[in-house]
Amino acid sequence: MLALRPNCECCDRDLPADSAEARICTFECTFCADCVDNRLGGACPNCGGNFSPRPIRPAALLLKYPASTERVVGKHAGCGA
């Protein structure tokens, strides 16, 4: 099951579980659409893979399977870190 991380690993923007702006790679690295398009060139800085929109978990299932609260922020070139 996806962790649904709460933020962009590049700019630390909040990405709630229902955000249509969240993008993930095959390892579930999580970034916002703006960073993916404008800072990362569509490639994950951790694994080199591509991104897909993160699925949105139905609200009723978020009660049983809540999103992660652990924020991850990397130190990637182009992210200002």
Side-chain angles (χ1 to χ4, degrees):
M1 173 178 17
L2 295 175
L4 302 178
R5 294 178 185 159
N7 66 303
C8 174
E9 191 174 314
C10 187
C11 72
D12 200 28
R13 174 182 172 183
D14 288 338
L15 295 171
D18 63 351
S19 176
E21 295 299 310
R23 302 291 182 265
I24 59 173
C25 73
T26 189
F27 290 101
E28 205 179 340
C29 302
T30 304
F31 296 88
C32 69
D34 183 56
C35 285
V36 166
D37 295 340
N38 298 310
R39 294 181 179 193
L40 303 174
C44 179
N46 299 315
C47 70
N50 66 322
F51 289 99
S52 294
R54 183 179 69 190
I56 295 175
R57 188 169 299 154
L61 290 175
L62 275 172
L63 296 173
K64 186 173 182 179
Y65 305 104
S68 173
T69 57
E70 180 182 350
R71 297 181 81 85
V72 175
V73 179
K75 295 184 182 208
H76 309 296
C79 292

